[in-house]
Amino acid sequence: MKNNQFARQTADHQTVIKELTRIHFLDDATSHAPTVSTAYRLLLRKAFPHVASENTFAWKLKNYLATPVMDLQDFLSSDLPITADVFYLAALQLLDFLPEVDYDCSKPLDAMTRIQLPMIASDTGAWDREQLLDAWYLLLATHTKNGQTYLDKLTNFGYFVPYYSLPVAQKPLFFNGKAQAVFDTDKLIREVVYVESSVDSDQDGQLDLLKVEIIRPRDTNDGLKVPALFTASPYNQGTNDQAGQKAMHPVNVPLTEKRPNHSTLAAITTEQPSTDRLAPRPVAGETQKACESFSRERSYTLNDYFLARGFAVVYSAGIGTLDSDGIQTCGDPQQTAATIAVIEWLNGSRRAFTNRTDNLAIRAWWCNGKVAMTGRSYLGTLATAAATTGVDGLKTIISEAAISSWYDYYRENGLMIAPDGFPGEDADVLAIETFSRMKAPADYQRIKPFFREQMEKMAREMDRESGNYNAFWDARNYRKMIKNIKCDVLMVHGLNDWNVKPGQVEKLWQGLRDVPVTKKIILHQGKHIYINAFRSIDYTDMINLWISHELYGVANGAKALLPDVIVQDNLTPETWTAYSDWAAPNQAKKVYYLSKKELREDALADGVLSFKDCLPDAVFQDYAAHHQHWETALLDKKEHDLSENRLLFQTTPFVEDKIIDGRVTVHITAASDHSFGMLSFQLVDYGEAKRLTVTPTTIQSMDLGYHWREDSLREFTQASDATAYKMITKGHINLQNRENAWCTEELQPGQFYPITFDLQPTFYRLAAGHQLGLVVYATDFGMTVRGNQELHYSIKLATSRIDVPFK
Amino acid sequence: MKNNQFARQTADHQTVIKELTRIHFLDDATSHAPTVSTAYRLLLRKAFPHVASENTFAWKLKNYLATPVMDLQDFLSSDLPITADVFYLAALQLLDFLPEVDYDCSKPLDAMTRIQLPMIASDTGAWDREQLLDAWYLLLATHTKNGQTYLDKLTNFGYFVPYYSLPVAQKPLFFNGKAQAVFDTDKLIREVVYVESSVDSDQDGQLDLLKVEIIRPRDTNDGLKVPALFTASPYNQGTNDQAGQKAMHPVNVPLTEKRPNHSTLAAITTEQPSTDRLAPRPVAGETQKACESFSRERSYTLNDYFLARGFAVVYSAGIGTLDSDGIQTCGDPQQTAATIAVIEWLNGSRRAFTNRTDNLAIRAWWCNGKVAMTGRSYLGTLATAAATTGVDGLKTIISEAAISSWYDYYRENGLMIAPDGFPGEDADVLAIETFSRMKAPADYQRIKPFFREQMEKMAREMDRESGNYNAFWDARNYRKMIKNIKCDVLMVHGLNDWNVKPGQVEKLWQGLRDVPVTKKIILHQGKHIYINAFRSIDYTDMINLWISHELYGVANGAKALLPDVIVQDNLTPETWTAYSDWAAPNQAKKVYYLSKKELREDALADGVLSFKDCLPDAVFQDYAAHHQHWETALLDKKEHDLSENRLLFQTTPFVEDKIIDGRVTVHITAASDHSFGMLSFQLVDYGEAKRLTVTPTTIQSMDLGYHWREDSLREFTQASDATAYKMITKGHINLQNRENAWCTEELQPGQFYPITFDLQPTFYRLAAGHQLGLVVYATDFGMTVRGNQELHYSIKLATSRIDVPFK
């Protein structure tokens, strides 16, 4: 195992004393202990909060080795001095590492170094009290084998239970710059309010009321003001899986010719009003007490962790969901306005009611007005949307695997391109799936006619036929408003996420370059997943440092301590590296020319290569039903069903590791034998290797507090079998959209056209000995329409190349 | 969806009144409501415990349909009568079923019938108060779409929170024969005691102390005596995965000739003393207060559910585990004696101490002395072991996927046969893996020499070389003591469990026939899994009914209400059927004769068929690394790598469905071309079908109480792809163990021997149109040694047949 901690602060001795005193490890007894050894025993004593008697504690110490031949109880009863070897041999055990498996008992310091666990500087001699305290402090801030700090482990044993009753003036409590679990999760208050938004998306003549679920520490009733982690999740009140399934669009349909439209960006950019000028509801009175609670919210475990640490958590599913008004609009400005209504309420500038009938107003009187948004996918998307409004009170967003423009989620360069694994899904399908008012049959019956009409309108406007960027999609492009962002932005994305593709975050990252806010990005090797319970990286600690700073104003140096860019390595497990940038503009790119089967550095080749798109029916049916079969076959160098349906080019093996950082540009001169056509490209790593598994492996269960909720600790591990290749990145283009996604051009059958476009961005380490490959094809069984048409494509080699941004 | 509830009691009106009053649905207001409609509204009002205001409640009712065109709020404000249609349309919604997806709003009664939801008998007219109350009672006891009763759903909403403060005289509280969640899980008491066992398995001259983790309701501090659910799990204090992996035995080794041994059963049956005659520890005093607690035990979610319902839960890992004395013995009499020591303590006849040094005794003063054992696999095995001692206090065991004889877990008919998925595992490997004292490095260092010596002894005694049943295995055969069983036994087993094979439970079931206790068995379509969170069966309710009766003495008719045998159907999803018996002795069996490629009903064929066992190295390596590849290929009718390594016989297609109930007997006349050999047999269902998935599908998260722990609701679903065949059952035999597993006989190369033995038992519905197949082969890549030897086997058709017990 390798430990990677980015959120651990370095503390000087004065801070060590202050903070150890604050969390009661350092007290009179420890300060005045006659020997260093006695002081160490007193520190250890407090690390066994579940042991009530001294004799039991003494016996527990007999489980630990202080030296390869003496247990800790015997050692501390002797007058042998504490040395680095003794302290760190015990530390490895306290941190749950195992002798023989993780370390050699006679060489604890070697293991500490190898596992990347921090140590204080020390020579081989006996430690003094100052060294002991420094080392203990550092140990508390160090991760155990199970992906949490040692202090978090003690927390899960009940260390902070006595702190539950501290007066609110002493709460929250921070250690090493991060908020600690001094809030009693058994006493959390759960309440529902209905925020009055600024929109009337169901056009019933009333501003839409939004159900908001709040969980806050009991201490807020005693005057503590806490910040809020707000997760806007359209899934939160349930989803209509069957209705969504039924609404899926057929994808085994032909690609067709589009009429040239001479469209311009200006023509499709229309400012849509996002708010309605309706009178707000009258206020009959005001109260501090909600009149509705809830049982088990659909929670994000990262939020759960912070509920024990002095943050309120707020969930809202927004317009068009169960117990709220409105309809689902899939990312339009109304949805953004409704999302920020909750923030405005938390920040004191918008009204909420206790229910839908009594007009009793209720303020977020327990909130300090500061809000961070959290969540992945659609949830992170709404965080991004909210940030682009510059709404007051929103101090930061932590957007994970978020969409920054909906066109890029369902389309690409004039083509329908489905998110991976969801062929046939589109904006209307997602709207139907998340329209959880359907779950309240009587409510649904009332809204059904309007909703159906809106869905028909959406189906027309999203225009599956052309696949073009138009006014519908422009209204759902948050990147147009990046300059409005006032909050700090922490982005997280999987480099193997082909649901929300890496380009979504890369374009946000690029757009934020000139915006005067702090931005950080973490790129992992996962698909569309959360990384808050990964063993090898202290993600939760980073977020703790970040929001302790952003929402509580703790001067913990978070912005300087956290690297701007962290990337998980794709070759070596458990390796996360800090970089100063990703996909920097104006990178030098290495050019590879396409020749017969090769990617060559030296020169252009002559000639034309062709491939077909049609498949025998049985093969087609198999791939259509199991697009994983197609994915595997497409990249296989061997002759097979698909050999004539693709062109495959490869470099010679690389002499040393190379990192591709950013977007590969494709320049290709291509022709279709019809008046329409599409091209797809995959950049491929060819070389036998045991690669990281696509899905993380679950290691064990993990507590998020003392007798509180749990999560599953996970990690990417190396697959037991080697594979011959791996797709690095991909891209697709409609040959009638050679200039951009909105302007449809004519395509003459047989005529060659130059095409230039970027594949999805990446950060990929290509191992020495491997070859870089490019596969050119048309139908993508996982993403495009699948017409199985008699189409042929040709590539003119003389003017075809790729530009690769090696780091 | 189809609902199957076996634990729902039928209640007469008097019981309905009494129990509805007990849980406060029926109160003065409801009794004296002016109309049935008003009474219904009052019942509904209590079903929204999370709603504090009347106006909010009224608005919630507007979410529900009372008729296809009127919402429930409007309906209850009218003077329209309550009818079955109205009540059950609302009921379907309260039970979380969805219109359009699950039912047509105009035909609620049809849906109730189709989903197998119970209704009261009624005509089409207006209901009276009595009908309303009967229907409401029945609704509370009916499962929602999410696998729990409606009352459990309300529990999860906080319905029983006001009951937490009831005086202990009114606790526990039963409804419909089952204990309800009136215990505050935030206030559970967690404590550790050290039970002094009757054995000294580490031979240190002191009786082994066993760490026991107890969780009990706070109400026990106020005088309530509760029964205990005891789970004995050697895994409970952690496992040594790496050490276990390292201890695995090689399986790519040849099968070898065994020397005839003329052994008899009498010769290997030696009574081993299970307890040591050592003086118990002195007692320095007695206390009621433990001095050690714990944070998060490794729990079984079924136990978690009952922690809210008036049961204590007790976990102990037993001898040879972290913080306990002793060594791991893998199922020997010492382990059994140590297991029942905990029960004896709970029942008042054995001593425990607060820690290991102070000699302060502590009684289970909070326990009513009644114990049930729970858990799967090794856990269920120890429950079975405990039951065979007849220990006082043990009222019932619920043994899931349990071993009844360790020989049958690691051996079969004179062969080493690994549990599926764990080739190379053996008794010593499991002992090493579960010896969690290794996790306390200093403790481990002290015990290591003795433990290693014991492991070497175990490796000798278990005798991998012969694979025979011997004194070592005889000491680990609990079935010898079945007649001692005094407690009732509820068994659960997967018909597709090839880890702990179905024969383990079948032999226990057969052995219990004449034992005067109540025995029940549930056979599901899973592998080695728990079924307590399956949507289609009320397993948890059955256990609740069972233990409310066994441990609290509630006269709920559990023994009569629960069927003796419940089997999940392998063809139709969500279908569980009650039967009176399984694998009844002296069943008539249908005979199929082996002829060239056929299983024929009519006559014996002449001739000899042969097959080889050796494979080309590349093929062998692939199968050795991926035994799933081998499993799939072996049964494939097509010509392939394995075609010459097996004989395949098939019946003609069946005209109608047939159920195989019990054990298929193989009579075969076989020869090896060497002086040793083995034969394997698989019974196969041939026929294209979409079969149930091997692994259950997770549906959603499920609460086990109010703000308490959670589980994942699961179900077997039909696979999306059809498969051509499925293995029904299998069996293996060493040709030198033709008579029994202990006596090794000579095998003359080339000589034919008659062999008769039983395959593992099953309960399998063979669909009309399918064919029954028999595959005869030798090396089983998933279970036997894999020597890749030049061996050839021959079968004489004239005297070969199988006897199939069709139901």
Side-chain angles (χ1 to χ4, degrees), chain A residues 544-561:
Chain A
N544 195 337
L545 192 82
W546 184 253
I547 62 177
S548 291
H549 174 74
E550 295 278 358
L551 304 183
Y552 269 119
V554 175
N556 57 17
K559 290 183 178 178
L561 188 56

Side-chain angles (χ1 to χ4, degrees), chain A residues 398-644:
Chain A
I398 298 150
S399 62
E400 307 190 47
I403 292 167
S404 57
S405 171
W406 285 87
Y407 182 82
D408 296 351
Y409 188 62
Y410 287 122
R411 305 284 187 272
E412 185 181 2
N413 295 318
L415 283 176
M416 276 187 290
I417 294 294
D420 188 41
F422 301 95
E425 191 184 301
D426 213 322
D428 61 339
V429 176
L430 188 57
I432 290 165
E433 194 163 305
T434 52
F435 184 65
S436 48
R437 290 180 72 174
M438 219 180 268
K439 295 201 172 288
D443 180 50
Y444 178 48
Q445 202 171 66
R446 290 184 290 261
I447 187 74
K448 189 149 71 174
F450 179 76
F451 181 66
R452 288 212 170 148
E453 180 190 296
Q454 291 297 306
M455 287 303 101
E456 283 160 23
K457 183 161 172 269
M458 187 183 283
R460 280 193 309 274
E461 291 180 351
M462 71 193 192
D463 187 12
R464 282 182 74 78
E465 285 64 39
S466 89
N468 278 9
Y469 187 86
N470 60 19
F472 175 87
W473 297 109
D474 191 65
R476 286 160 177 81
N477 181 355
Y478 309 120
R479 295 199 295 259
K480 294 190 304 176
M481 284 87 70
I482 287 181
K483 62 177 190 311
N484 298 341
I485 294 179
K486 291 194 306 196
C487 68
D488 294 328
V489 181
L490 198 159
M491 291 156 272
V492 181
H493 216 101
L495 290 164
N496 290 301
D497 189 345
W498 299 102
N499 180 332
V500 177
K501 303 179 187 75
Q504 297 274 10
V505 74
E506 188 258 357
K507 286 193 175 167
L508 177 60
W509 175 250
Q510 304 292 11
L512 279 167
R513 287 189 182 276
D514 298 327
V515 181
V517 299
T518 304
K519 43 261 172 183
K520 307 278 181 187
I521 189 165
I522 302 172
L523 298 170
H524 58 82
Q525 290 298 326
K527 303 208 287 187
H528 196 57
I529 60 164
Y530 279 121
I531 60 159
N532 61 311
F534 267 66
R535 182 166 71 176
S536 63
I537 187 165
D538 61 340
Y539 180 75
T540 298
D541 299 351
M542 285 196 263
I543 303 302
N544 195 337
L545 192 82
W546 184 253
I547 62 177
S548 291
H549 174 74
E550 295 278 358
L551 304 183
Y552 269 119
V554 175
N556 57 17
K559 290 183 178 178
L561 188 56
L562 299 186
D564 289 343
V565 178
I566 298 175
V567 185
Q568 183 183 16
D569 195 72
N570 58 293
L571 289 184
T572 316
E574 305 181 317
T575 303
W576 301 78
T577 311
Y579 294 96
S580 58
D581 202 352
W582 174 48
N586 307 319
Q587 290 164 292
K589 294 191 179 184
K590 174 116 185 164
V591 174
Y592 289 97
Y593 302 97
L594 275 58
S595 75
K596 202 184 173 213
K597 299 197 174 181
E598 286 173 297
L599 287 174
R600 297 171 63 104
E601 296 178 42
D602 47 1
L604 290 169
D606 276 335
V608 166
L609 296 178
S610 298
F611 64 95
K612 68 182 178 72
D613 196 34
C614 197
L615 285 166
D617 189 59
V619 178
F620 174 81
Q621 295 300 342
D622 175 47
Y623 289 154
H626 308 280
H627 62 84
Q628 298 83 354
H629 296 185
W630 167 82
E631 268 164 26
T632 309
L634 179 74
L635 305 185
D636 194 334
K637 293 186 201 173
K638 290 198 299 266
E639 289 288 309
H640 53 66
D641 289 336
L642 286 172
S643 303
E644 292 168 37

Side-chain angles (χ1 to χ4, degrees), chain A residues 288-301:
Chain A
Q288 291 217 346
K289 221 171 139 47
C291 68
E292 184 178 342
S293 184
F294 55 94
S295 51
R296 180 58 162 102
E297 82 288 0
R298 286 170 212 236
S299 72
Y300 174 18
T301 50

Side-chain angles (χ1 to χ4, degrees), chain A residues 254-289:
Chain A
L255 185 69
T256 53
E257 181 184 344
K258 303 196 276 188
R259 282 255 301 273
N261 68 355
H262 313 293
S263 182
T264 64
L265 192 54
I268 55 173
T269 309
T270 46
E271 280 308 315
Q272 288 184 272
S274 68
T275 57
D276 290 284
R277 281 167 215 272
L278 287 173
R281 282 166 181 72
V283 175
E286 189 164 335
T287 178
Q288 291 217 346
K289 221 171 139 47

